[in-house]
């Protein structure tokens, strides 16, 4: 009875069967012994049916815990001597990935935990080594990515994020239509775009099918997109334009604070969205923006720019362009050097900035949100040992890979 129960729990079908179950209370361990109850099998290499068994090799796998007991699956795996192709090949098992010493359910739980906590904490809970969990993550992410199709990708977002100290970065490429990470590679130069196009081709995608590339004003990304995605339009989203305006405000404030004591300890008041001001900040900003301070003038310029993007609609792109043109004239006459420089930057990238008004989804807000998630995961883990580990974790968190194993506990409850 118990053998049949565990056979169902492992999802085995004849001729696989659980022959014996051994419980060792002192060692807090349960061992399940699985057998192949047939004298023949289909050849794993060429699929020829009814081939004789050559011999057996003993193998063991760690399984999900059974109550408080560590569980292990053991099997003398048969090797098939094929009379058709002449190969002697070991049978694959339905409960584990080839080459792994852990069952698929164990690895699925490890992936589920790794999304929510550092790998070191995940390994402690599962009572295994950190490297063991990393090998499982790397293997499953690689297998899942190999099965992904990016044939319908048309609008992408490109951004970089810090990988480690010492100016170490990775470039992330997202499918903005489906809000998923589709490529990650070390570096942040123009060659990263070339590597993306090569990877896109290997996943049934076509670089010439990319219609829009949404990015910041990185010269490297602009050059890479122009060379390797020549048919795609470049869009510079409002997030980065307003970010440049914030930097201009802060530059004015730093210069003016040397002689105006009112500006001491007010940096975040000028940079934050008004809706997020604390009560203390609201008290300060009730009167500071209305003064004759240069910083107040810079803040009003920045807020006017933010309002243009906040009220922009894809069906009224021409009106947004007109409003932005008026804002440029204001910035050029402001007698504030940082805003004059910003106006020049906007004029230099005018076509790409206007392109971002064409549709509501042409922005990298999702990209920045993913960057925040990745940086939070990195901080929680206190850094990753290698760039490849960071990239694997990025796909685990943001890749929305459809071929990754799901949470086995949710499956069991369902």
């Amino acid at each position: 009875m118990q053998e049949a129960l565990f056979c169902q729990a492992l999802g085995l079908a004849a001729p696989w069967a659980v022959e014996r179950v051994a419980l060792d209370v002192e060692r807090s361990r349960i061992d399940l012994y699985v057998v192949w109850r047939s004298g023949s099998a289909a050849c794993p290499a060429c699929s020829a049916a009814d081939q004789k068994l050559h011999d057996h090799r003993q193998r063991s796998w760690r399984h999900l815990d059974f109550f408080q007991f560590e569980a292990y699956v053991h099997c003398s795996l048969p090797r098939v001597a094929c009379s058709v192709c002449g190969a002697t090949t070991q049978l694959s098992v339905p409960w584990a990935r080839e080459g792994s010493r852990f069952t698929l359910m164990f690895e699925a739980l490890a992936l589920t935990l790794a999304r929510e906590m550092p790998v070191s904490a995940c390994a402690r809970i599962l009572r295994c080594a950190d490297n063991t969990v990393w090998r499982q993550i790397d293997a499953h992410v690689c297998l899942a990515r190999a099965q992904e199709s990016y044939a319908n990708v048309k609008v992408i977002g490109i951004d970089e994020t810090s990988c480690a100290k010492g100016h170490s970065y990775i470039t992330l490429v997202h499918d903005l239509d489906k809000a998923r990470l589709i490529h990650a590679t070390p570096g942040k130069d123009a060659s990263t775009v070339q590597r993306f196009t090569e990877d896109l081709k290997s996943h049934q995608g076509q670089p010439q099918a990319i219609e829009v590339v949404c990015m910041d004003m990185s010269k490297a990304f602009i050059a890479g997109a122009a060379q390797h995605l020549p048919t795609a339009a470049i869009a510079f989203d409002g997030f980065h334009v307003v970010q440049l305006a914030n930097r201009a405000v802060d530059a004015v404030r730093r210069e003016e604070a040397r002689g105006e004591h009112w500006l001491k300890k007010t940096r975040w008041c000028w940079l934050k969205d008004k809706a997020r001001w604390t009560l203390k900040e609201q008290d300060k900003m009730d009167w500071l923006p209305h003064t004759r301070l240069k910083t107040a003038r810079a803040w009003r310029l920045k807020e006017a720019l933010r309002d243009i993007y906040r009220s922009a609609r894809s069906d009224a792109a021409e009106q947004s362009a007109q409003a932005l043109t008026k804002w440029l004239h204001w910035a050029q006459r402001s007698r504030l050097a940082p805003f004059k420089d910003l106006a020049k930057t906007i004029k230099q990238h005018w076509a790409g900035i206007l392109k971002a008004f064409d549709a509501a989804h042409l922005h990298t807000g999702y990209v920045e949100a993913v960057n925040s998630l990745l940086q939070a995961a990195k901080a929680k883990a206190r850094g990753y040992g290698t760039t490849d580990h960071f990239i694997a974790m990025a796909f685990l968190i943001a890749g929305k890979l459809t071929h990754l194993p799901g949470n086995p506990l949710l499956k069991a409850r369902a």
Side-chain angles (χ1 to χ4, degrees):
M1 185 68 179
Q2 65 180 5
E3 286 79 5
L5 178 64
F6 281 105
C7 190
Q8 291 182 359
L10 288 173
L12 301 182
W16 294 107
V18 176
E19 182 182 51
R20 181 167 61 92
V21 179
L23 177 64
D24 190 333
V25 177
E26 291 184 359
R27 297 173 61 194
S28 296
R29 171 172 172 146
I30 185 169
D31 294 277
L32 312 175
Y33 294 88
V34 179
V35 294
W36 173 267
R37 289 179 173 169
S38 176
S40 63
C43 174
C46 68
S47 302
D50 297 325
Q51 300 300 308
K52 292 183 179 180
L53 302 185
H54 178 71
D55 59 7
H56 295 76
R57 298 290 177 88
Q58 187 65 36
R59 297 286 185 269
S60 298
W61 299 264
R62 170 87 181 275
H63 190 46
L64 292 177
D65 290 355
F66 177 76
F67 291 105
Q68 72 272 30
F69 301 101
E70 286 189 3
Y72 292 85
V73 177
H74 309 277
C75 180
S76 291
L77 283 182
R79 292 202 302 166
V80 178
C82 183
S83 60
V84 178
C85 66
T88 300
T89 314
Q90 184 173 273
L91 283 184
S92 59
V93 297
W95 60 83
R97 175 174 53 85
E98 186 175 355
S100 175
R101 289 296 172 257
F102 296 84
T103 65
L104 287 172
M105 286 189 178
F106 184 97
E107 293 184 339
L109 180 60
L111 293 178
T112 300
L113 294 177
R115 283 193 187 97
E116 308 298 332
M117 63 181 67
V119 168
S120 58
C122 173
R124 285 196 299 271
I125 292 173
L126 297 174
R127 300 186 300 282
C128 62
D130 295 10
N131 287 339
T132 297
V133 179
W134 277 120
R135 283 195 294 270
Q136 295 171 11
I137 294 172
D138 292 339
H140 279 285
V141 166
C142 184
L143 289 171
R145 281 209 73 229
Q147 300 178 68
E148 288 291 322
S149 173
Y150 300 143
N152 298 319
V153 174
K154 295 181 180 180
V155 181
I156 62 172
I158 302 179
D159 201 7
E160 78 280 353
T161 192
S162 172
C163 179
K165 292 182 179 179
H167 301 286
S168 178
Y169 292 88
I170 63 172
T171 294
L172 305 174
V173 183
H174 301 260
D175 176 2
L176 294 185
D177 286 330
K178 295 186 177 180
R180 59 175 177 168
L181 175 67
I182 59 175
H183 181 70
T185 185
K188 59 172 185 176
D189 54 12
S191 66
T192 59
V193 182
Q194 179 183 5
R195 293 197 289 273
F196 160 68
T197 58
E198 293 169 354
D199 183 71
L200 184 67
K201 293 175 184 176
S202 68
H203 290 87
Q204 298 83 50
Q206 294 298 326
Q208 58 269 26
I210 302 296
E211 298 175 356
V212 182
V213 183
C214 198
M215 63 174 78
D216 59 19
M217 297 177 189
S218 163
K219 293 181 180 179
F221 290 157
I222 293 172
Q227 182 178 357
H228 302 291
L229 297 169
T231 61
I234 295 177
F236 305 113
D237 76 316
F239 174 88
H240 290 100
V241 177
V242 174
Q243 188 180 57
L244 292 176
N246 266 327
R247 292 175 183 171
V249 171
D250 197 44
V252 175
R253 183 201 61 81
R254 286 199 309 269
E255 179 67 27
E256 193 174 25
R258 297 173 183 174
E260 295 288 347
H261 70 278
W262 303 108
L263 295 174
K264 301 295 183 181
K265 299 181 180 180
T266 63
R267 180 188 181 194
W268 297 113
C269 299
W270 303 106
L271 301 184
K272 285 171 63 174
D273 189 352
K274 291 186 290 187
R276 297 172 56 198
W277 282 342
T278 64
L279 292 176
K280 187 176 180 180
E281 289 169 341
Q282 287 176 7
D283 290 340
K284 290 181 179 179
M285 300 304 283
D286 273 344
W287 62 278
L288 273 175
H290 307 291
T291 64
R292 297 175 65 86
L293 292 170
K294 292 181 180 179
T295 306
R297 193 154 23 109
W299 180 83
R300 291 194 292 271
L301 273 164
K302 185 260 293 185
E303 286 299 307
L305 182 61
R306 189 194 294 271
D307 289 340
I308 292 173
Y309 280 99
R310 188 181 289 122
S311 59
R313 302 197 317 271
S314 58
D315 60 346
E318 186 176 347
Q319 288 87 329
S320 298
Q322 292 174 356
L324 190 58
T325 300
K326 292 179 180 178
W327 185 92
L328 279 179
H329 293 156
W330 181 14
Q332 289 168 336
R333 298 193 309 270
S334 66
R335 292 178 293 172
L336 300 173
F339 275 90
K340 288 183 178 181
D341 293 339
L342 175 58
K344 291 179 182 177
T345 300
I346 291 176
K347 291 181 72 174
Q348 289 171 357
H349 300 85
W350 185 248
I353 289 173
L354 292 188
K355 183 64 181 178
F357 289 111
D358 286 348
H361 67 280
L362 290 183
H363 62 83
T364 56
Y366 160 75
V367 177
E368 297 299 332
V370 169
N371 283 354
S372 297
L373 290 176
L374 297 183
Q375 292 303 319
K378 186 182 76 172
K380 193 182 296 184
R382 298 182 180 178
Y384 296 109
T386 67
T387 302
D388 289 340
H389 284 171
F390 190 25
I391 290 175
M393 188 58 64
F395 277 110
L396 191 63
I397 292 174
K400 296 184 180 179
L401 300 174
T402 55
H403 296 89
L404 282 177
N407 186 343
L409 304 183
L410 291 180
K411 285 185 177 181
R413 187 165 57 188

